[in-house]
Amino acid sequence: MASLSQLASQWNIPPELLDELSKYATPTGLADYAALAVIAGVSGAYISRGYLWDQPDPYAYLAYERPQLKNGGQAGANANKETRNIAQKLEESGKNIVVFWGSQSGTAEGFAHRLAREISVRWGQESMTADLSDYDPITITEIPNTKLAIFIVSTYGEGDPSDNTVDFWSWINKAKDVSLPSLRYAAFGLGNTNYKFYNKVVDVIVEGLDKFGAQALMPVGKANDAEGATEEDFMSWKDQLFSVFKEQLGFQEIEAKYTPSLLIQEDESLEPIDLHHGEPHGQADGKANQSSAVRTLSISNSRELFTSSDRHCLHMDLDLTNQPELTYKTGDHLAIWPGNPDSEVELLLQVLGTSERRDIPLHIKAIDSATKVTIPSPTSTNALFRYYLEICAPVNRDNVRDLAQFAPTPEAKAYLTQLGQDKDNYASFINRTHLNLGRLLQLACPGQTWSDIPLSYLTETLPHIRPRYYSISSSSVVSPRKPSITAIATTTPLPDNSSELVHGVTSNYLLAISQQAQSQPHPYGVTYHLNGPSNALEGGKVFAHIRRSKFKLPITGKTPLVMVGAGTGLAPFRAFLSERCQVQKIGKDVGQMILFFGCRNPNEDFIYQQELEEMQKVLGDKLRVVTAFSRKEGTPRKYVQDRVSEFGDDVVKLIDEGGSFYVCGRAGMAREVEKAVGETMRKVKGWSEDEVNNWSKAVKRKNKWQEDVWG
């Protein structure tokens, strides 16, 4: 420690003043020593602040950070000096038509890009696509009547808008004194009649536009995914739109030739370290306040839940230890970003004649200022086909027809042209074969390479790989740093060849990881590059992110619960019950619960059966488990909706006591469960159809009825 003379020299204190101070600086009694001790303690505490105590949270900035800066959405556009005024953007870029999209899974976005591209090449109209979250909704009022706006939006869940449609949805529902007399528009919605609010989002948007005085060019179009008709519904509506172009607007159709919107060039001067090798880029699907960033997570444990030899269901525990900024809550979803199978990547590279140049660095640039480059650049062909593009999806009829122009032989051109023009023939063909791009090209022209297909065409037309979402099957109270997921590996035999299986990309990717951990091959011989880009996933890791969900337990543990799940729909209820067990273990009361669970056979696919039995022991008479087996030998088929009807009085009793109702599984099942509950309410309470409907709307509005459904 420095002496007084040293301090005096350092601070320029005169010697005579130092002598005077020293008379008072020397302690002479117990009180002086006590005072000095207090002063030393306070000084030490102050100096050590931020080091030994009151350390700042390294992730506190996330609470104040503008998430849009990360995701290419709202503020992200501002950060890149992009205008948020769509009318201004149309004027600056010289575009006549804007195709807005609101998409949750990527289908509506893909349709928007296809439509804008076809409008340009077939009708010579300058067009662009626009993410609804990239522009301020009010600016559509400035679009002049010399231009057109087209809306392609999806509906999911209980009539919910996609994440990127939320701001526009809110504006069109709440805006007042808005006038759109100069806006000419057309609209197409994507929905599913298995859901109660079929295509609600497009209906609400159209109603709002009409209320504000906008001019509809044609009736709203709607796709119904319940019948697998989304693709053909879109193409039928597109043909009607083009008839309007020709007959009402006087547009002249021109010979359609591919015109790239992207410039993809090789650059061998780049080093591997400069490239994007396949890591997920940017923000996860949806807004940053609903989805975390994509991170590398370790799989700490994996086990199979089925005893069947030909069906596989996985339980996987993931580890958040090395990603402290990631947290989850019970009921949230975990998204897995997959890679494509080795065989499909190799086949496509081979049929395109690019195997030898797969690792050559590529620059991807937008030719048009209105085009947003969504693939990270620079990259490589190998990364494109393995991690960035959905090469395993069936080829849509538009693309089949377009591919004909690149055919290496007249016979191949004729084959694809005929297949793409005949709706019924194409539907039959794709259902029998499920051919993806590589297999289609190989079939159309065996032994030939399709070297004339521009890489830019494939990058523009193939869907981008999207994450697959899984309900988290663990409780954040019980297992805060190790969320688990439950995934069934899907394999579908082809009608014409039952030995040929179509493998679900992500579920079989997870199965391959699980088998590798046990030094076992994939049961169907499917292989993936499991070490990931630049070996980032070596040692059993995945790229993943967490998405917030509204599927939540009530705040109070005393609230009764009715839970209905089939198959892997049991996953979130495993988490719910685990949390309720923990609440009871610490001495707090929990409400009455009924779990309805359905599967095929109790001896094959009754997942988590032992765990449920253990939970019943803990919860005692607070939990009743009611099972439904659809393929149990010697017994009639039972589904969860049947069992809900059988126990209708108990269900109504818990609902009347303020209970919350939950359904997880396929949308068709959820619809049947709702019918069963409605019929029970009608019988027990003597209600009319209108009273049942009003009750249903009320409990959903209060979040007393929640669904986590798909398909």
Side-chain angles (χ1 to χ4, degrees):
M1 181 178 291
S3 65
L4 282 177
S5 59
Q6 289 173 324
L7 292 174
S9 175
Q10 180 179 344
W11 294 342
N12 296 320
I13 298 176
E16 58 274 15
L17 179 59
L18 180 63
D19 291 338
E20 189 66 23
L21 288 172
S22 65
K23 298 176 182 179
Y24 303 96
T26 303
T28 58
L30 183 61
D32 289 344
Y33 282 107
L36 283 174
V38 171
I39 293 171
V42 172
S43 300
Y46 180 81
I47 293 171
S48 64
R49 182 185 180 190
Y51 296 94
L52 301 180
W53 68 283
D54 194 25
Q55 296 182 21
D57 180 357
Y59 303 105
Y61 71 92
L62 295 174
Y64 306 95
E65 188 178 68
R66 297 173 70 190
Q68 297 89 340
L69 290 172
K70 292 183 175 182
N71 65 6
Q74 301 176 2
N78 289 335
N80 294 324
K81 307 296 183 181
E82 289 286 341
T83 178
R84 288 186 51 77
N85 185 314
I86 185 57
Q88 181 181 337
K89 181 66 175 181
L90 288 169
E91 191 63 33
E92 289 176 351
S93 58
K95 304 299 181 183
N96 300 325
I97 299 174
V98 56
V99 184
F100 291 106
W101 57 268
S103 185
Q104 194 71 13
S105 65
T107 305
E109 179 184 0
F111 283 164
H113 294 316
R114 279 170 58 184
L115 180 60
R117 185 167 50 250
E118 193 166 354
I119 288 173
S120 296
V121 300
R122 279 185 64 181
W123 299 94
Q125 298 293 320
E126 293 292 333
S127 61
M128 63 173 283
T129 57
D131 180 333
L132 278 168
S133 68
D134 281 349
Y135 298 92
D136 295 325
I138 189 65
T139 61
I140 69 169
T141 61
E142 301 175 32
I143 297 177
N145 63 4
T146 55
K147 303 182 186 297
L148 303 178
I150 299 172
F151 296 86
I152 301 180
V153 294
S154 64
T155 299
Y156 82 101
E158 286 297 310
D160 297 321
S162 62
D163 292 342
N164 76 309
T165 310
V166 169
D167 289 343
F168 189 83
W169 170 267
S170 178
W171 174 79
I172 209 159
N173 277 294
K174 298 177 181 178
K176 296 179 180 179
D177 302 322
V178 173
S179 180
L180 298 172
S182 61
L183 182 68
R184 297 184 297 166
Y185 81 93
F188 182 77
L190 285 73
N192 187 317
T193 51
N194 282 329
Y195 294 87
K196 186 171 183 179
F197 298 99
Y198 169 64
N199 262 311
K200 178 181 177 181
V201 173
V202 75
D203 285 340
V204 170
I205 287 177
V206 166
E207 181 182 347
L209 293 174
D210 291 346
K211 179 179 67 176
F212 298 149
Q215 308 166 48
L217 295 175
M218 58 186 289
V220 62
K222 296 180 180 180
N224 182 11
D225 197 45
E227 301 173 357
T230 297
E231 181 70 36
E232 288 300 332
D233 288 340
F234 170 70
M235 293 183 67
S236 178
W237 171 81
K238 176 165 63 72
D239 289 342
Q240 296 173 38
L241 175 66
F242 289 168
S243 293
V244 170
F245 282 2
K246 184 176 182 179
E247 297 168 9
Q248 294 184 29
L249 304 181
F251 291 172
Q252 297 296 315
E253 189 170 4
I254 60 178
E255 183 182 359
K257 291 184 178 180
Y258 170 64
T259 303
S261 61
L262 297 176
L263 179 63
I264 301 183
Q265 294 178 312
E266 293 185 350
D267 185 352
E268 298 190 51
S269 67
L270 294 173
E271 298 294 330
I273 196 172
D274 300 322
L275 307 184
H276 295 270
H277 295 283
E279 303 84 353
H281 58 288
Q283 175 63 34
D285 280 3
K287 293 191 173 181
N289 61 350
Q290 295 177 344
S291 292
S292 74
V294 180
R295 291 290 183 260
T296 303
L297 302 183
S298 297
I299 297 173
S300 61
N301 177 56
S302 176
R303 68 180 192 271
E304 289 219 31
L305 300 176
F306 285 177
T307 58
S308 171
S309 60
D310 61 345
R311 299 174 67 218
H312 301 270
C313 185
L314 301 172
H315 171 93
M316 283 187 161
D317 296 315
L318 293 98
D319 194 344
L320 304 181
T321 302
N322 294 325
Q323 305 295 343
E325 77 277 22
L326 291 192
T327 60
Y328 79 98
K329 297 295 183 184
T330 306
D332 282 345
H333 298 129
L334 192 138
I336 301 293
W337 293 75
N340 286 312
D342 293 335
S343 58
E344 302 299 342
V345 174
E346 293 302 322
L347 173 61
L348 187 54
L349 287 168
Q350 179 183 352
V351 78
L352 294 174
T354 57
S355 295
E356 301 301 320
R357 305 191 68 77
R358 69 176 68 198
D359 295 320
I360 301 297
L362 301 173
H363 272 297
I364 304 176
K365 300 178 182 178
I367 295 175
D368 190 324
S369 62
T371 299
K372 182 185 293 185
V373 178
T374 54
I375 297 290
S377 177
T379 186
S380 66
T381 306
N382 185 59
L384 280 174
F385 292 165
R386 189 175 294 280
Y387 296 110
Y388 293 133
L389 299 177
E390 288 273 16
I391 66 170
C392 294
V395 185
N396 65 66
R397 192 155 60 90
D398 272 346
N399 282 4
V400 171
R401 194 167 48 206
D402 288 347
L403 285 166
Q405 64 187 298
F406 308 116
T409 67
E411 293 78 13
K413 181 175 183 179
Y415 176 81
L416 292 180
T417 300
Q418 181 181 4
L419 181 61
Q421 289 176 343
D422 191 327
K423 173 182 175 181
D424 294 334
N425 185 30
Y426 167 81
S428 173
F429 171 82
I430 210 69
N431 287 334
R432 287 184 291 105
T433 62
H434 196 87
L435 287 191
N436 55 36
L437 178 63
R439 298 189 184 200
L440 175 66
L441 298 180
Q442 186 182 55
L443 176 68
C445 198
Q448 294 280 342
T449 58
W450 292 65
S451 55
D452 288 341
I453 300 181
L455 191 55
S456 58
Y457 173 82
L458 299 179
T459 306
E460 292 167 15
T461 57
L462 286 175
H464 293 179
I465 278 189
R466 298 280 178 168
R468 275 60 165 184
Y469 290 93
Y470 297 91
S471 299
I472 294 178
S473 52
S474 58
S475 162
S476 58
V477 171
V478 178
S479 182
R481 302 308 298 164
K482 289 194 175 181
S484 63
I485 59 173
T486 310
I488 186 167
T490 59
T491 53
T492 306
L494 297 176
D496 288 354
N497 184 2
S498 59
S499 63
E500 182 75 16
L501 300 175
V502 178
H503 303 286
V505 172
T506 308
S507 60
N508 281 278
Y509 170 71
L510 292 174
L511 181 58
I513 296 174
S514 177
Q515 294 295 101
Q516 183 191 57
Q518 302 170 43
S519 301
Q520 296 290 327
H522 189 285
Y524 303 112
V526 184
T527 61
Y528 296 81
H529 185 58
L530 297 181
N531 283 350
S534 303
N535 293 325
L537 305 179
E538 191 173 7
K541 299 176 183 177
V542 292
F543 291 123
H545 73 267
I546 292 168
R547 184 175 71 180
R548 305 304 173 200
S549 168
K550 298 177 183 177
F551 198 75
K552 299 298 183 187
L553 278 167
I555 295 176
T556 171
K558 294 182 180 180
T559 303
L561 306 179
V562 179
M563 299 163 283
V564 185
T568 55
L570 179 60
F573 302 136
R574 175 184 183 265
F576 284 10
L577 293 175
S578 176
E579 191 154 314
R580 281 285 172 99
C581 285
Q582 186 68 18
V583 169
Q584 179 154 303
K585 285 178 181 178
I586 62 175
K588 293 187 178 181
D589 290 338
V590 297
Q592 291 289 331
M593 293 165 281
I594 301 179
L595 169 66
F596 294 93
F597 170 68
C599 64
R600 296 182 184 182
N601 190 311
N603 298 321
E604 292 184 2
D605 56 356
F606 191 157
I607 60 176
Y608 301 121
Q609 181 177 6
Q610 185 176 348
E611 289 187 26
L612 285 177
E613 292 171 353
E614 293 172 355
M615 289 177 182
Q616 279 189 292
K617 291 179 182 178
V618 173
L619 295 168
D621 60 1
K622 295 290 187 178
L623 172 65
R624 181 190 304 178
V625 178
V626 180
T627 54
F629 304 117
S630 61
R631 300 186 188 180
K632 183 179 179 181
E633 187 176 351
T635 62
R637 291 192 175 211
K638 291 282 187 178
Y639 298 97
V640 285
Q641 58 266 29
D642 302 323
R643 302 292 271 165
V644 168
S645 295
E646 290 177 31
F647 288 81
D649 290 344
D650 297 320
V651 169
V652 171
K653 181 176 181 292
L654 291 188
I655 290 174
D656 285 345
E657 292 174 356
S660 293
F661 199 103
Y662 298 88
V663 187
C664 185
R666 291 200 170 274
M669 176 274 290
R671 182 184 60 187
E672 294 302 316
V673 167
E674 185 171 357
K675 286 181 182 178
V677 174
E679 185 61 31
T680 300
M681 298 296 282
R682 189 163 31 248
K683 289 179 180 178
V684 172
K685 296 181 176 293
W687 284 351
S688 66
E689 186 74 27
D690 287 342
E691 287 175 313
V692 170
N693 288 335
N694 290 337
W695 167 81
S696 177
K697 292 177 183 177
V699 294
K700 290 178 179 179
R701 189 166 54 247
K702 296 175 184 177
N703 287 328
K704 300 294 287 183
W705 183 295
Q706 298 183 39
E707 296 182 356
D708 186 357
V709 297
W710 56 87

